[in-house]
Amino acid sequence: MTDLILNPARAQYAPALQENFIRGMAAFPAGTLPAGLTSADLNILRRASPVFTPYALVSYGMFIEREGAAAPGIIATRDKPATTIIGDSGGFQFISKPELYQGRSTVLKALGWLQANADISMTVDIPTRAIGRSRWPTFQACLDDTLANLATIAAERKAGQTKFLNVLQGTSWPECRAWYDAVKAYPFEGWAFGGASRDLPNMLRLISMMRRDGHLGGQYGHLHVLGTSSLRRAVELTAIKRAIQKTGLDVQLTFDTATPSHYVKYGKVIVGMNETALTATPMRLPLDAAHAACTLALPGRTWVAERFVVRDLHVSRTASSLLLVHHNIEQQLRLMEEACRVADIAHELGTGLPVAIHASLHAIEGFLSWKNPADAAKRLTGVALDPLDDEREGERS
């Protein structure tokens, strides 16, 4: 049985899988794998595979213009008892294509897809990054349509098919607070942080309020952070999970990005980590003609790097893209585990990390014991926080 790369006690990374990877890993291009290897060996959603991830995110947005399209490939054939598929609702697509949103009919289509394909799902939110687009000139317009969507989901969902996470949005703390207060009455199964609610001070304040309101743990057993996956974030989110569990609340915390796929799309592969700064190190892909006969191995200790050399990536562009995404997913998981171990030791010793990281971890450790949730921001005043992930390349807001 495959050992998990990322310790289950940590916040869990759910790579956001793209359709070409979902399909390609179920039917790898013929003649491109060395003798003895099959597509099954590369299926990251098969428990017996050499590289396995128990969590993955798939967005309905990839299928939103194909009514009734089911999730294909390794999603359809996944090891269901061992995997959790997190379904995004397609709200991100409304930012660039507002015409895709047709109110109730759009929500019902998303609901059907999510119930058929996902174990945990995002509610259909209108991201505040859509402000100024078409029917959403203001924050309130985004919130009003989201509230209508929540009412539809609450009324039409089928019991036992998927758990829903109430997505929080906003561009500032006052907006995040107003959004939370407006949506918290809907009894879904957890929370997802989008927009500025992902900013660490805002997130800590919101989680404190959830606990105060009885909306954390128990029925509200899952937290998810959309569109973030830096190594420092993996460390901080693990610290948040620990802090919550120390209060006796059983909560799972997950987070996602499509970074492994986007790196390959933009010509990069993940090769290592800066242990002091807790940042991943990418390099340019060796896919130009000059490397067609190169017998050097890829950097990194991944399953792909140990079995393929650079010239193998020149046999088929489709196959090479799939292999490199696989490599990046494994590398991302391994580096997150390593970053958490480094941070645990360095934080215990009080040295070895930038002062800002020590400060954020100290703030997280005690944030649920503060009488005033606003202390989350006060304790982090002047701390250099990790910026929110750039959404320009398709990351979810």
Side-chain angles (χ1 to χ4, degrees):
M1 184 172 286
T2 306
D3 292 331
L4 294 176
I5 298 171
L6 188 59
N7 188 319
R10 308 196 192 284
Q12 295 295 294
Y13 177 58
L17 305 182
Q18 306 300 292
E19 187 174 0
N20 59 349
F21 184 85
I22 294 169
R23 291 183 183 277
M25 282 306 180
F28 210 82
T32 57
L33 290 176
L37 297 184
T38 67
S39 292
D41 295 316
L42 289 158
N43 185 351
I44 62 171
L45 299 180
R46 188 176 73 100
R47 187 68 178 86
S49 294
V51 177
F52 168 71
T53 176
Y55 290 91
L57 182 137
V58 181
S59 177
Y60 171 61
M62 293 188 292
F63 309 97
I64 197 169
E65 296 183 78
R66 287 175 278 165
E67 185 175 353
I74 60 172
I75 300 297
T77 61
R78 67 188 170 104
D79 189 344
K80 287 189 176 182
T83 54
T84 297
I85 296 299
I86 301 172
D88 202 352
S89 61
F92 187 81
Q93 276 62 36
F94 303 150
I95 298 171
S96 59
K97 292 185 176 181
E99 66 277 7
L100 291 176
Y101 181 73
Q102 300 295 321
R104 178 180 171 82
S105 64
T106 301
V107 178
L108 291 176
K109 290 175 184 176
L111 177 61
W113 190 92
L114 293 166
Q115 290 182 146
N117 294 287
D119 303 298
I120 297 171
S121 300
M122 306 301 142
T123 52
V124 183
D125 60 307
I126 307 298
T128 42
R129 278 195 63 219
I131 293 173
R133 303 295 184 102
S134 186
R135 64 185 285 160
W136 305 297
T138 64
F139 166 82
Q140 192 62 46
C142 293
L143 179 55
D144 287 345
D145 273 347
T146 298
L147 289 171
N149 299 345
L150 298 182
T152 298
I153 293 171
E156 302 295 337
R157 66 184 297 192
K158 296 178 180 178
Q161 291 203 351
T162 190
K163 295 180 180 179
F164 275 100
L165 306 183
N166 205 337
V167 181
L168 300 173
Q169 287 285 347
T171 64
S172 63
W173 167 245
E175 289 186 355
C176 292
R177 171 69 186 273
W179 191 288
Y180 168 71
D181 284 338
V183 305
K184 66 183 181 182
Y186 289 92
F188 295 118
E189 289 75 45
W191 302 93
F193 298 85
S197 75
R198 302 173 302 158
D199 191 68
L200 185 59
N202 294 339
M203 193 183 305
L204 297 183
R205 283 170 141 181
L206 288 165
I207 294 172
S208 296
M209 292 177 179
M210 291 169 190
R211 185 186 181 214
R212 177 199 65 192
D213 295 340
H215 292 164
L216 186 67
Q219 175 183 334
Y220 306 89
H222 198 108
L223 301 179
H224 184 85
V225 185
L226 290 156
T228 192
S229 65
S230 71
L231 302 186
R232 176 170 169 179
R233 280 303 174 99
V235 168
E236 291 171 342
L237 294 178
T238 291
I240 291 173
K241 179 178 177 179
R242 288 173 177 168
I244 294 171
Q245 291 182 335
K246 282 182 180 179
T247 69
L249 297 174
D250 186 14
V251 170
Q252 180 58 283
L253 198 159
T254 54
F255 57 105
D256 79 273
T257 57
T259 299
S261 296
H262 287 154
Y263 265 141
V264 173
K265 179 180 178 181
Y266 295 103
K268 296 180 180 179
V269 63
I270 303 170
V271 297
M273 178 179 82
N274 180 324
E275 292 189 0
T276 301
L278 294 186
T279 56
T281 306
M283 68 170 283
R284 185 171 62 86
L285 294 178
L287 291 181
D288 53 85
H291 295 94
C294 179
T295 58
L296 295 175
L298 288 172
R301 51 192 177 94
T302 66
W303 189 85
V304 166
E306 291 174 351
R307 287 162 179 79
F308 296 84
V309 297
V310 170
R311 71 180 178 190
D312 295 329
L313 305 177
H314 289 258
V315 174
S316 161
R317 181 166 294 276
T318 298
S320 68
S321 293
L322 296 173
L323 290 171
L324 291 170
V325 171
H326 188 284
H327 164 89
N328 281 349
I329 289 173
E330 181 181 359
Q331 192 78 306
Q332 191 95 338
L333 290 165
R334 289 194 179 283
L335 294 182
M336 286 174 179
E337 174 62 25
E338 186 172 350
C340 287
R341 294 182 186 184
V342 167
D344 283 345
I345 294 174
H347 190 54
E348 182 75 19
L349 295 174
T351 60
L353 292 175
V355 172
I357 298 180
H358 283 294
S360 67
L361 292 177
H362 278 303
I364 290 167
E365 286 166 357
F367 83 103
L368 286 174
S369 65
W370 303 333
K371 293 181 179 179
N372 183 359
D375 284 347
K378 294 177 182 177
R379 300 289 179 102
L380 291 166
T381 299
V383 175
L385 297 172
D386 204 24
L388 295 177
D389 293 74
D390 191 337
E391 298 163 351
R392 289 175 296 178
E393 296 180 354
E395 306 294 9
R396 176 55 147 88
S397 68

